[in-house]
Amino acid sequence: RDMKQMVAQAEALLDKPLPEVTDDLYLDFSKTGNRERCQAVLFERRGRLPVLTLAECVERKGRFLPKLEELIHSICSEKSWVLPAHDGNLQTFRGELQTIDLASAALSWNLATACRLLGDRLAPQTRTRIMAELERRTFAPYRRMCAGKQPQHWLVVRMNWNSVCLAGVTGAALLALDDPKER
């Protein structure tokens, strides 16, 4: 029953337009302090990823792949995977410094999971794009943090960010990186 519900949920997404993350929407928090408007759009977009991935894994007919690949490319094109409220100086938004937050770590894990579960059922350019963005937005910043070449924010504190972000980075690495040394 749960699988049927998930497939039905994914079916409902096939005709539903993907909401856009515009610059104005992302910058709304820095201008007004309102987190909700942009986060609602980001969470709706990102929430589609596991639904479409798992529905495709269950059904294995390919009918969810076009919408899933469209979603993946759209997410990979976002200026920042970090929530606006966690990008106070807008360095990530402006492309000056890639950082990792709770949302970007979870997204990284979900993208790596989709790539691993679907494998070559995803187009080669989609898999390549996922891997390139994971490297740029997650693995490289994490390596820089560990080397002390980038602010270590959550890496050295005792709070939920440490465990949640580390879980997302580690989960993504275990699924996406083939080299045992890199993992």
Side-chain angles (χ1 to χ4, degrees), residues 38-112:
C38 188
Q39 285 184 186
V41 171
L42 289 171
F43 294 160
E44 181 180 338
R45 290 166 58 88
R46 295 168 184 193
R48 293 177 183 205
L49 183 61
V51 172
L52 291 167
T53 299
L54 293 175
E56 181 57 37
C57 287
V58 167
E59 195 174 88
R60 298 191 57 81
K61 293 180 182 175
R63 73 178 171 132
F64 299 109
L65 288 174
K67 197 66 156 182
L68 178 60
E69 293 203 18
E70 174 191 331
L71 172 64
I72 289 169
H73 284 284
S74 182
I75 288 171
C76 287
S77 296
E78 292 174 5
K79 287 186 178 179
S80 174
W81 287 355
V82 173
L83 295 178
H86 301 160
D87 190 15
N89 57 14
L90 299 175
Q91 282 185 295
T92 303
F93 176 77
R94 290 193 303 262
E96 298 166 0
L97 179 68
Q98 289 298 320
T99 59
I100 302 165
D101 76 340
L102 303 163
S104 66
L107 176 61
S108 297
W109 198 354
N110 282 337
L111 284 166

Side-chain angles (χ1 to χ4, degrees), residues 1 7 24 37 55 64 104 108-109 120 134 150:
R1 180 174 161 91
V7 170
D24 285 340
R37 286 186 283 266
F64 299 109
S104 66
S108 297
W109 198 354
D120 63 4
L134 288 174
Q150 178 169 327

Side-chain angles (χ1 to χ4, degrees), residues 108-168:
S108 297
W109 198 354
N110 282 337
L111 284 166
T113 300
C115 199
R116 174 63 69 171
L117 289 176
L118 296 171
D120 63 4
R121 299 184 68 216
L122 290 173
Q125 64 268 27
T126 302
R127 292 191 320 270
T128 299
R129 181 88 188 266
I130 291 170
M131 292 306 299
E133 294 302 324
L134 288 174
E135 176 59 31
R136 181 173 79 88
R137 298 176 191 252
T138 307
F139 303 141
Y142 180 73
R143 282 189 220 99
R144 287 192 302 270
M145 287 174 69
C146 289
K149 297 179 180 178
Q150 178 169 327
Q152 295 179 321
H153 305 298
W154 53 263
L155 191 60
V156 295
V157 296
R158 290 183 180 172
M159 64 173 188
N160 73 317
W161 275 55
N162 179 279
S163 56
V164 173
C165 292
L166 194 54

